[in-house]
């Protein structure tokens, strides 16, 4: 190369929003919600328009993203299921190469305390502590979400709020996620009816600005040491409460109507029937709820966008925008009443399709800036992408995703995946499980989605099938349609292939296997010689 | 109960031979090899006549037996593949309850040193050391099998041989597993042609008596503390060399003819063609080799039986026979020329069908003594059986096998498994892999065997199918037979079920999942409340 102007990627800023739908960004087509700072990432990088998470709940999805492995392969099937000490994380991949790997915000990693005790691991410090944190140095970890009345101790954010005068056992709940009534009473954010009221906190003290400021603190502190920073916002995840002015920025005229049909409630799949009887689905199926809550959900996203504007300004001022790969994504969507459902947990695109914007500052990526790539992408592709950008080895026995760098550099791979997979279990949802009389280890749900079809396998129950070409809104379930048996069989065959080919042999590298035979003969072990 | 005469199982003596075929015991029908001491176990206990290992090589098979998990579930796919620190072992199940779990002899456990380093685990002592030993206290661990010329250091058996005057860098090879020529030259046991010559060692100094004596040492030392002792003989595994008189106890008239047909060499499955070109198959396909080696293989088994006689006499004398569950099994078979194959690695019953004799000393088992149970049993059933016998909890999220105790107590379960599964990979066999141009992660082989059929799935290659009713010797491969497409599809469906239902969620107990919902509501997290 004649010019050494091309910069190097030394850092990765890995931004995740929680429960942010794919379509609630202006760059992804929302008609009323303007997100110019996030859109700027799409303009400066590549917008992967068909990106899917590997699980439609926080914990399972995040463990996949943090390990580069499908849910079946890391075993942390749902929220609060410990991440086994036997699983290698993103931090484990980068740290030996002198790259810090830290988190500001939420990870939802549950420590495998039992596994650690089994092998006698010291988890109070060093690598043992990191293993309990999913491989992230807990620079300012904060998973939020405490019940009312819970005495929050040892939490940086709550301690900071108290230092500012927000006196409470649980200032997260009582101030940041609640409003005040006419008589000063707490209107809990756990109750959707209070959503439109402003949080009882100054905007700059609410969670999203706090999280942003801590990220800037990290980057300032890090200096010249390379890093991967997982900047992980809890919002727009519930409680759906926003500080002024974001609580009142949008109105019911600006919300998009729910995607649902009366026909969906006829002859329902038994698991969907269960989830529809679950409280969030009941609530979000009511227009009154949507009209109060969705504008606040939009306000929380708007606040996030404004904060990202502040963050990106810092990156430009510090020059970090020139040597930092930036990713913006989400851990899953939010039904918000689509398909007569609330929350997430199932496999409509509403829940599993996420935004994924990637900015590579290097000139090799100039040609693709502002483009949209519609290849099927999975959240497990991020870890290999980070390693590729940093020039670090990506152990193939661990990583089940693929680097997106060829797409960013305008050199699409000749072969790319034909389907994405997402997994969940309703074992933890008594509302769903008990009426179906299923054992907790018989509640697995597995989605396989091609460009044209979506197939969802349920253990012991009929499958679901959607024709995404004819029915992109996924309103007609063809899982029991007589005319689609051949399609279902074909997709089931792909799922069988997928299950068989998971990377279960992780403790030996492929190159070591390849070298095995030569070594065995070399040392003189020559079985069967006459 | 009016009588407290029934004893309690306080100990488990878990005896394993290496590479011992199912049919090389007189209790299992060998016409010329008398094994009265092993037969006595069958007379005093239950002979499970259809027991199968989960992998047809030492390492994978043993890791399944030691963890109670299928090979796909523990990830240690072949020999020398480390057992992940994330996997719970038999020792981990019993030790917290005050039960010692030790090994005398071979385990083939490969330490997950990389995994330990990743989390900063101290592997020099305590639980960290045990994790590197597959959960077994290494009372007298000895995996044997060193190449000629290798300087063996820190091995108890080799040190002991040297103390007796067997001077050598590698007395295991030079004395215990080699003979002497006319001029005193070493005739290496690695060469099959010397098999019939006596090992250059006194019989009482050879491996099998040494191993037996160490087991007796352990039981003496253990005193009243309950224990699980894995007494794990390396023989009759190669090198096929026996000390006098066992080298000369059987002759070529007493060997059973090989199970093979000329038709097997027509239109061969490509993987079998590869294994048949591998040296042990070439050698054992020759009558000259079989006639020299098989009598010695029989002699090694006879020596083992004699040593077990000594061991069982000790048990009776010490009273341990009254409170000890005794299991005798093997880690896989040995083709010995059957199907034009040597060694193991594939899925004919010759390789995956093993002896399994279980003696429960308690009176509840009196009714089944001397009986044969022909239910489909897997090696992964042993760990749950041991826990059941000891009255210890068997964590269902870890254990994929089932306790055999109901069979022993004459109360056969109403529902039992309809098939057994065994797995292997030819990734480590260049002779097989390279001609097929398969990547190392595309060499998985998975066998599913019902009472009537055996189906073997090969990634990217045709399957194999055997009709066990019509063709119990497995001579006719119906894997590509036009008339058997429906059977293959049905068996493939069972295999799909099996893959989906592996126990991959190990870090949370089912009862904790069941309790989840109640706990969530109890603490006040009530999502979706209006």
């Amino acid at each position: 190369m004649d010019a050494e102007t091309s910069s190097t990627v030394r850092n990765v800023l890995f931004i995740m929003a929680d429960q942010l739908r794919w379509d609630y960004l202006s760059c992804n087509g929302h008609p009323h919600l303007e997100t110019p700072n996030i859109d700027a990432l799409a303009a400066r990088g590549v917008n992967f328009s068909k990106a899917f998470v590997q699980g439609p709940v926080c914990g399972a999805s995040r463990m996949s993203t943090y390990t580069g492995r499908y849910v079946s392969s890391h075993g942390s099937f749902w929220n609060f299921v410990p991440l086994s000490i036997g699983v290698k994380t993103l931090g484990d991949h980068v740290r030996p190469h002198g790259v810090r790997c830290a988190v500001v915000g939420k990870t939802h990693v549950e420590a495998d305390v039992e596994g650690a005790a089994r092998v006698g691991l010291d988890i109070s410090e060093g690598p043992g502590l990191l293993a309990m944190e999913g491989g992230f140095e807990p620079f300012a970890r904060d998973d939020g979400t405490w019940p009312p009345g819970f005495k929050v101790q040892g939490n940086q954010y709550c301690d900071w709020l108290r230092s500012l005068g927000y006196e409470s056992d649980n200032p997260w709940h009582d101030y940041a996620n609640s409003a005040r009534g006419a008589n000063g009473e707490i209107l809990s954010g756990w109750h959707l009816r209070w959503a439109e009221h402003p949080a009882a906190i100054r905007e700059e003290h609410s969670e999203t600005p706090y999280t942003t400021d801590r990220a800037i603190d990290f980057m300032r502190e890090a200096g010249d040491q390379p890093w991967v920073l997982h900047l992980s916002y809890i919002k727009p995840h519930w409680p759906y409460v926003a500080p002024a002015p974001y609580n009142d920025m949008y109105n019911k005229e600006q919300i998009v109507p729910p995607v649902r049909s009366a026909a969906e409630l006829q002859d329902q799949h038994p698991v969907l029937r269960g989830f529809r009887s679950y409280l969030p689905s009941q609530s979000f199926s009511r227009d009154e709820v949507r009209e109060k809550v969705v504008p606040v959900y939009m306000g929380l996203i708007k606040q996030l966008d404004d904060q990202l504007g502040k963050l990106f300004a810092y990156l430009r001022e510090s020059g970090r925008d020139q040597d930092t790969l930036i990713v913006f994504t989400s851990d899953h969507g939010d039904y918000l009443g689509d398909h007569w459902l609330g929350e997430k947990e199932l496999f409509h695109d509403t829940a599993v399709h996420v935004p994924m914007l990637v900015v590579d500052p290097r000139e090799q990526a100039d040609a693709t800036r502002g483009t949209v790539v519609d290849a099927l992408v999975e959240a497990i592709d991020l870890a290999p992408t980070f390693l590729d950008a940093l020039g670090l080895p990506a152990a193939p026995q661990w990583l089940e995703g693929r680097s997106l760098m060829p797409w960013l550099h305008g050199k699409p791979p000749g072969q790319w995946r034909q389907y994405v997979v997402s997994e969940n279990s309703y074992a933890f949802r008594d509302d769903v499980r008990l009426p179906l009389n299923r054992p907790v280890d018989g509640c697995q749900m597995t989605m396989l989605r091609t460009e044209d079809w979506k197939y969802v396998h349920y253990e012991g129950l009929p499958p679901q099938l959607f024709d995404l070409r004819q029915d992109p809104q996924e309103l007609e379930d063809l899982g029991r349609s007589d005319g689609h048996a051949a399609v279902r069989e074909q997709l089931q065959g792909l799922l069988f292939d997928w299950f068989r080919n998971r990377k279960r042999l992780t403790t030996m590298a492929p190159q070591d296997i390849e070298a095995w035979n030569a070594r065995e003969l070399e040392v003189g072990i020559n079985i069967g010689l006459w």
Side-chain angles (χ1 to χ4, degrees), chain A:
Chain A
M1 281 194 288
D2 57 348
E4 283 297 327
T5 53
S6 181
S7 65
T8 301
V9 169
R10 292 170 47 84
N11 316 300
V12 174
L13 179 58
F14 166 30
I15 309 169
M16 184 178 276
D18 197 311
Q19 198 137 334
L20 173 63
R21 284 170 62 129
W22 178 81
D23 53 350
Y24 274 61
L25 298 175
S26 42
C27 64
N28 286 342
H30 197 284
H32 304 293
L33 175 60
E34 293 297 325
T35 51
N37 295 297
I38 295 170
D39 292 4
L41 294 178
R44 198 180 154 220
V46 170
N47 184 343
F48 290 93
S49 64
K50 287 187 179 165
F52 294 85
V53 288
Q54 274 50 76
V57 292
C58 303
S61 170
R62 288 164 179 268
M63 298 315 111
S64 282
T65 310
Y66 303 159
T67 63
R69 292 170 68 73
Y70 289 100
V71 176
S72 286
S73 302
H74 61 63
S76 185
F77 255 75
W78 204 73
N79 297 326
F80 308 107
V81 177
L83 181 65
S84 166
I85 56 164
V87 180
K88 189 168 183 168
T89 62
L90 174 60
D92 297 322
H93 286 279
V94 305
R95 197 169 287 114
H97 302 279
V99 178
R100 274 180 85 175
C101 184
V103 63
V104 168
K106 170 173 171 169
T107 66
H108 226 305
V109 170
E110 189 77 12
D112 183 13
V113 175
E114 184 181 326
R118 190 172 64 235
V119 298
L121 180 64
D122 176 4
I123 59 173
S124 65
E125 57 180 6
L129 174 63
L130 290 170
M132 297 300 104
E133 292 284 346
F136 292 109
E137 175 193 334
F139 184 82
R141 177 175 173 183
D142 192 341
D143 283 12
T145 321
W146 291 280
F150 186 81
K151 191 175 172 71
V152 182
Q153 291 176 304
N155 175 268
Q156 290 179 7
Y157 178 57
C158 286
D159 288 346
W160 182 69
L161 289 183
R162 289 188 196 107
S163 77
L164 295 169
Y166 298 98
E167 283 304 326
S168 166
D169 277 354
N170 187 351
W172 175 88
H173 173 265
D174 295 350
Y175 295 96
N177 286 280
S178 288
R180 287 292 178 276
N183 302 314
E185 74 275 21
I186 291 175
L187 306 179
S188 170
W190 288 103
H191 295 250
L192 298 171
R193 65 172 65 245
W194 310 125
E196 68 181 344
H197 293 259
I201 197 167
R202 289 176 57 160
E203 192 272 334
E204 62 266 37
H205 299 157
S206 63
E207 289 172 281
T208 299
Y210 172 81
T211 306
T212 309
D213 291 342
R214 300 298 287 133
I216 294 172
D217 289 347
F218 174 86
M219 291 188 276
R220 282 212 176 92
E221 185 199 288
D224 286 335
Q225 189 186 356
W227 44 261
V228 174
L229 176 63
H230 181 35
L231 170 52
S232 185
Y233 292 98
I234 298 173
K235 296 300 180 186
H237 189 282
W238 43 257
Y240 305 99
V241 177
Y246 297 102
N247 69 303
D248 196 26
M249 205 169 267
Y250 301 95
N251 61 53
K252 66 181 183 181
E253 310 303 328
Q254 293 168 307
I255 68 175
V256 292
V259 174
R260 66 190 186 198
S261 75
E264 286 186 288
L265 300 178
Q266 306 302 312
D267 193 24
Q268 298 177 70
H269 189 282
V271 169
L272 271 82
R273 189 192 310 124
F275 274 101
R276 284 182 181 130
S277 70
Y278 170 55
L279 187 58
S281 301
Q282 294 286 315
S283 293
F284 278 97
S285 292
R286 294 166 52 198
D287 290 344
E288 179 188 19
V289 174
R290 283 181 43 82
E291 287 168 5
K292 294 269 192 199
V293 176
V294 177
V296 177
Y297 178 78
M298 293 166 65
L300 288 167
I301 297 166
K302 183 67 179 176
Q303 185 187 22
L304 173 61
D305 188 74
D306 285 345
Q307 288 297 313
L308 288 175
K310 179 176 80 180
L311 180 80
F312 298 150
Y314 171 79
L315 284 173
R316 283 190 300 274
E317 289 155 17
S318 62
R320 283 286 83 88
D321 63 331
Q322 294 305 307
D323 60 7
T324 301
L325 184 87
I326 305 175
V327 169
F328 178 83
T329 190
S330 173
D331 62 347
H332 53 73
D334 188 325
Y335 276 110
L336 296 176
D338 285 7
H339 307 289
W340 312 98
L341 290 162
E343 270 275 87
K344 51 253 183 180
E345 303 241 20
L346 293 170
F347 299 98
H348 298 92
D349 274 11
T350 323
V352 293
H353 185 194
V354 292
M356 193 174 290
L357 312 173
V358 185
V359 176
D360 182 342
R362 295 171 294 189
E363 67 182 17
Q364 296 98 306
D366 286 351
T368 63
R369 299 193 196 286
T371 63
V372 174
V373 168
D374 66 357
L376 290 169
V377 164
E378 296 182 302
I380 55 172
D381 296 336
L382 290 177
T385 301
F386 300 165
L387 294 169
D388 195 352
L390 294 166
L392 300 181
Q397 71 271 35
W398 284 105
L399 297 167
E400 297 190 292
R402 293 178 62 179
S403 171
L404 300 175
M405 213 44 76
W407 297 105
L408 288 157
H409 291 182
K411 295 170 181 168
Q415 295 265 324
W416 192 249
R417 68 169 62 85
Q418 298 302 302
Y419 54 81
V420 294
V421 171
S422 192
E423 302 170 85
N424 195 14
S425 166
Y426 55 88
F428 299 83
R429 287 281 169 231
D430 282 0
D431 319 49
V432 182
R433 182 176 74 84
L434 296 180
L436 296 172
N437 199 27
R438 298 286 303 167
V440 292
D441 62 353
C443 302
Q444 298 90 335
M445 309 181 275
T446 314
M447 176 204 83
L448 184 140
R449 186 201 192 280
T450 68
E451 290 285 348
D452 296 348
W453 298 96
K454 179 176 288 182
Y455 178 81
V456 186
H457 190 278
Y458 295 88
E459 290 305 322
L461 295 169
Q464 286 193 287
L465 177 71
F466 295 100
D467 180 343
L468 302 175
R469 295 282 175 200
Q470 299 296 321
D471 174 28
Q473 292 193 313
E474 308 176 79
L475 294 169
E476 189 185 1
D477 182 356
L478 304 169
R480 287 161 285 179
S481 148
D482 291 338
H484 293 81
V487 174
R488 288 195 298 269
E489 194 173 332
Q490 184 200 343
L491 295 165
Q492 201 174 81
L494 294 178
L495 196 56
F496 183 33
D497 292 345
W498 179 84
F499 268 108
R500 290 197 318 276
N501 286 285
R502 293 306 87 238
K503 298 196 173 184
R504 301 193 181 95
L505 195 175
T506 59
T507 55
M508 199 166 184
Q511 61 269 28
D512 292 336
I513 299 173
E514 285 172 4
W516 178 262
N517 250 16
R519 194 167 62 246
E520 190 178 62
L521 291 176
E522 195 179 296
V523 299
I525 292 187
N526 206 340
I527 311 160
L529 198 67
W530 173 251

